[in-house]
Amino acid sequence: MTQVDHTRMANAIRGLAMDAVEKAKSGHPGLPMGAADIATVLFTQFLKYDAADPAWPDRDRFVLSAGHGSMLLYALLYLTGNKDMTLDEIKRFRQVDSLTPGHPENFRTKGIETTTGPLGQGIATAVGMAVAEKMLAAEFSKKIVSHHTYVLCSDGDLMEGVSQEAIALAGHWRLNKMIVLYDDNGISIDGPTSLADSVDQVKRFKSAGWAAEMIDGQDQTAIAAAITRAQKSNKPSLIACRTTIGYGAPTKAGTAKAHGEALGAEELKGAKEKLGISLEPFSVPDDVLKAWREAGARGAEARKEWEARFDALGSRKRAEFERRIRHERPQALAKALRAHKKALLASPLNVATRKSSEAAIEAIAAAMPMEFLAGSADLTGSNNNKAKTAVNFSAKTPKGRFVHYGVREHGMAACMNGIFLHGGFAPNGATFLVFTDYARPAMRLSALMGNGVVYVMTHDSIGLGEDGPTHQPVEHLAALRAMPNMRVFRPCDAVEVAECWELALNRIDGPTVLALTRQNLPQLRTTAPNDSPCAQGAYELVAAEGAAKVSLFASGSEVEIAVNAQKQLAERGIASRVVSVPSLELLLAQPEDRKKAIIGNAPVKIAIEAAVRFGWDAVIGPDGLFIGMHGFGESGPAKDLFKHFGITAEAAVNAVLQRLG
């Protein structure tokens, strides 16, 4: 191994970060300069990774939760020899289509475990990675799965509320292979963190069941000793590393000026002179680069040893592990759901879609018992997403496949992102649809990253009844449909529920919301073809007798209302058709000819949904009729509420008659 002083290796990170931010005239140099010693110790002495194969399954995970300090991570990828991270990419920091965007994006740059930037998301997502490691190790043995999850976080990460949800879960589950390195520099954008915060983070983490200590984050010996202690702990560990933001900058070090803007030519020159770094932009001494490249190759031996252990497994076990890591669903899933739908046609299930979801889950869990990983934010009995055979996951039962997240919707959603990113599981989590408001930041990142997680959102409308407007979602369907790459299904009956579950589980390039009712619904579907009608977002459920004058579009519980309205119109000699729309945005994404065929050319188009109109004009047109909500809900029995707000078959019929004149 090339012997190079630690300080010179850390300064290579600092120099690249300063130069990249200066060239872009944008970015955050302060964190990479202050945390360079932490990163150098971690990457050269502890982190199990191989720069030549950044995705091998048993690597340690490193999450830069403080995503604004992205140049720290990009510098590390370049220095350690990640073949995609060239010096030219470092020079293109924050430019369009570069591999070095302003905040790390895992879908853009190899070697980045998760997309970060919104503070708190990284540390919360890392909890999910540590959970997946614990579960897989219990299933496949520690010879195959045994790695750490390291997080570098900032003051901002720990101020965000989701961090409390995350650390409480990690402590409760005793995720002892999770180690958080806290860049405790005492500075945020507005100035000293003392302006808004006086939390003792060490005590806070200890109270949540963590091992926690404070060290000098610029002392390489202290950093190494603390990580060694953390690796031996039977609890997750926090290492609060006291650092100086913008370390080395002559006038800006230790101030908010070093946080989120380029240092400027004079300050940059002064910092390099003070640290002993070449004034030549983007230069790294040959011996320093060689030492870093050797550090990047250090994990190759561990990877090869793991490959040998993996090859020694039985062929069936190897194939199962590889399939799970790829998120490839077992053939048994399609077979089980076909049988389930056949049973539904023979014996219709007239229950709430949350209950028909429960029935589908029984079939799913039997087909994929170890990878189907469900959970609820303290609403298990209401969400109905726990299979009868499911055992609770806990510190003592890591093979459990149902997770009690507590009242932590945001933490649950972030944790599921981490579980999916780690690989090996098909995670789903449940709460009420209205509480997607709490989970939304992590749901958005799920959509951005293309994570195939499933959100089981019950109590999907005013139909939940007496809990009233605080719990009744009216704008949430529209808001979720507006999110790029988020797919929303609102099935109308048990057969649609089964089809939507299958579509959701087979979608591994983006998240899916299943919006399910509290109130009972009739089973309307009488066929279940293999080419699932729900796959195109909408389909004609009931055809018109003759040329249709009216097309009735509806989702979920309102499809029943549309069917009843069609019958009443027929009694008046008006031919109409009913189109079930389980996924509005999936319908709108269909090829133009298919979309036009589904929507049809009836002169009157009416949509019925117990939610706001926003989004429906793409189907019914701006002159189309809409039966739904125009404000918030109210407390009362569900049937009374639908009548109170005029979401009835009679109201739809009257609107059509008025339009037809």
Side-chain angles (χ1 to χ4, degrees):
M1 294 288 290
T2 302
Q3 297 299 313
V4 174
D5 179 71
H6 161 90
T7 300
R8 294 181 67 216
M9 294 185 74
N11 281 344
I13 298 173
R14 294 183 175 109
L16 290 172
M18 286 189 285
D19 288 334
V21 173
E22 191 65 29
K23 187 175 189 296
K25 303 300 179 187
S26 173
H28 300 74
L31 183 142
M33 294 170 72
D37 292 299
I38 302 168
T40 300
V41 171
L42 179 63
F43 272 69
T44 61
Q45 298 182 44
F46 294 95
L47 197 71
K48 183 175 67 171
Y49 75 111
D50 181 2
D53 189 358
W56 68 288
D58 201 37
R59 69 193 180 278
D60 285 343
R61 271 58 170 178
F62 173 70
V63 173
L64 180 64
S65 192
H68 55 275
S70 58
M71 263 313 304
L72 175 79
L73 186 47
Y74 302 146
L76 287 164
L77 292 177
Y78 165 68
L79 290 169
T80 54
N82 182 300
K83 63 183 173 67
D84 294 327
M85 187 55 68
T86 64
L87 196 58
D88 284 340
E89 289 295 339
I90 297 289
K91 293 176 181 178
R92 295 180 63 221
F93 179 56
R94 288 192 162 217
Q95 304 308 302
V96 175
D97 285 335
S98 75
L99 297 181
T100 50
H103 294 85
E105 298 170 7
N106 70 322
F107 51 85
R108 183 179 297 271
T109 310
K110 290 180 181 177
I112 292 172
E113 299 290 355
T114 182
T115 299
T116 56
L119 291 171
Q121 290 298 321
I123 186 173
T125 301
V127 172
M129 295 177 181
V131 165
E133 191 277 341
K134 190 179 185 79
M135 289 180 170
L136 274 185
E139 184 181 351
F140 287 93
S141 88
K142 292 183 180 180
K143 289 182 179 180
I144 303 303
V145 182
S146 181
H147 52 264
H148 285 84
T149 301
Y150 293 96
V151 180
L152 181 61
C153 75
S154 65
D155 292 295
D157 287 294
L158 301 186
M159 288 186 199
E160 290 288 357
V162 70
S163 72
Q164 182 60 37
E165 298 184 26
I167 69 172
L169 289 169
H172 181 67
W173 293 331
R174 300 183 77 84
L175 301 178
N176 62 304
K177 289 198 170 183
M178 182 173 181
I179 299 174
V180 173
L181 297 151
Y182 163 35
D183 180 33
D184 183 13
N185 60 43
I187 295 293
S188 62
I189 291 175
D190 280 356
T193 53
S194 58
L195 288 170
D197 192 61
S198 56
V199 173
D200 184 326
Q201 295 294 351
V202 171
K203 289 181 179 178
R204 176 192 178 205
F205 275 74
K206 283 184 176 180
S207 74
W210 289 55
E213 62 175 305
M214 180 174 286
I215 64 166
D216 181 347
Q218 250 83 59
D219 183 336
Q220 59 170 312
T221 302
I223 297 165
I227 295 175
T228 299
R229 287 190 293 272
Q231 288 185 336
K232 296 176 182 177
S233 176
N234 62 356
K235 301 176 180 179
S237 295
L238 171 78
I239 304 171
C241 305
R242 184 56 60 87
T243 63
T244 300
I245 192 170
Y247 181 85
T251 66
K252 294 183 178 181
T255 73
K257 286 287 186 182
H259 176 80
E261 60 187 52
L263 295 177
E266 286 303 310
E267 189 77 5
L268 174 61
K269 180 174 181 290
K272 285 191 169 185
E273 288 175 343
K274 185 174 180 180
L275 294 167
I277 300 173
S278 170
L279 297 180
E280 180 68 24
F282 302 101
S283 65
V284 179
D286 290 343
D287 62 333
V288 173
L289 185 58
K290 184 180 179 184
W292 268 114
R293 293 291 159 86
E294 289 175 355
R298 182 174 52 83
E301 183 177 350
R303 175 178 57 82
K304 291 173 183 176
E305 290 173 353
W306 177 84
E307 289 172 348
R309 293 193 301 273
F310 184 70
D311 289 342
L313 286 177
S315 58
R316 185 176 295 181
K317 197 87 167 178
R318 284 202 312 273
E320 175 70 0
F321 184 87
E322 290 174 332
R323 179 188 67 77
R324 297 255 300 269
I325 291 294
R326 290 194 304 267
H327 294 295
E328 182 182 303
R329 302 304 176 223
Q331 293 180 350
L333 176 63
K335 184 178 179 180
L337 286 172
R338 277 197 302 271
H340 174 61
K341 286 188 285 186
K342 185 177 180 180
L344 289 174
L345 297 181
S347 300
L349 200 57
N350 301 311
V351 296
T353 51
R354 62 172 176 157
K355 290 293 291 181
S356 50
S357 171
E358 183 177 41
I361 284 171
E362 292 300 329
I364 293 165
M368 41 196 296
M370 296 306 290
E371 66 199 277
F372 185 75
L373 179 58
S376 173
D378 201 51
L379 289 168
T380 305
S382 296
N383 300 142
N384 300 106
N385 67 323
K386 183 179 182 180
K388 291 183 176 67
T389 57
V391 174
N392 292 337
F393 168 76
S394 72
K396 293 182 179 180
T397 55
K399 288 187 179 181
R401 292 297 180 261
F402 188 84
V403 182
H404 287 279
Y405 288 100
V407 189
R408 300 185 182 98
E409 296 89 353
H410 195 175
M412 175 180 70
C415 192
M416 287 197 295
N417 280 338
I419 291 168
F420 182 86
L421 289 168
H422 182 280
F425 299 97
N428 71 86
T431 184
F432 291 173
L433 181 61
V434 75
F435 298 138
T436 54
D437 285 340
Y438 289 130
R440 190 177 177 87
M443 294 177 74
R444 184 176 187 271
L445 280 183
S446 181
L448 179 64
M449 290 188 277
N451 288 348
V453 302
V454 181
Y455 300 98
V456 182
M457 299 298 162
T458 68
H459 296 59
D460 69 343
S461 73
I462 60 169
L464 67 87
E466 292 84 352
D467 277 341
T470 61
H471 283 52
Q472 293 167 3
V474 293
E475 77 278 23
H476 296 73
L477 291 171
L480 291 167
R481 288 166 177 161
M483 188 182 292
N485 202 38
M486 178 65 75
R487 185 171 294 167
V488 181
F489 281 119
R490 190 166 182 250
C492 76
D493 70 358
V495 178
E496 280 198 359
V497 164
E499 289 182 351
C500 291
W501 256 116
E502 186 168 16
L503 291 165
L505 288 170
N506 284 321
R507 186 181 190 221
I508 62 170
D509 60 354
T512 301
V513 170
L514 298 178
L516 307 172
T517 69
R518 180 194 185 202
Q519 72 272 31
N520 291 340
L521 301 177
Q523 185 173 306
L524 301 172
R525 280 277 294 277
T526 57
T527 63
N530 288 335
D531 56 337
S532 165
C534 290
Q536 55 193 7
Y539 62 96
E540 187 175 80
L541 177 67
V542 187
E545 293 185 5
K549 291 185 179 180
V550 180
S551 283
L552 296 147
F553 301 91
S555 77
S557 53
E558 287 72 71
V559 176
E560 178 189 8
I561 293 175
V563 170
N564 290 335
Q566 184 200 41
K567 293 175 182 176
Q568 293 182 30
L569 288 169
E571 291 171 358
R572 291 168 171 78
I574 300 171
S576 62
R577 56 196 285 269
V578 175
V579 179
S580 178
V581 189
S583 178
L584 179 60
E585 70 278 13
L586 191 54
L587 165 63
L588 298 178
Q590 296 302 307
E592 197 62 30
D593 57 341
R594 186 181 302 166
K595 182 171 65 175
K596 285 183 177 179
I598 295 170
I599 293 174
N601 55 11
V604 177
K605 296 180 177 65
I606 180 169
I608 310 170
E609 188 172 69
V612 297
R613 177 172 179 149
F614 196 87
W616 277 103
D617 284 7
V619 173
I620 62 176
D623 296 328
L625 302 172
F626 181 74
I627 300 296
M629 296 296 293
H630 303 280
F632 292 112
E634 191 169 318
S635 181
K639 289 183 179 179
D640 294 346
L641 289 175
F642 275 89
K643 186 178 295 185
H644 174 77
F645 287 108
I647 306 174
T648 63
E650 291 73 20
V653 169
N654 289 336
V656 168
L657 293 176
Q658 187 173 354
R659 174 60 59 89
L660 290 174

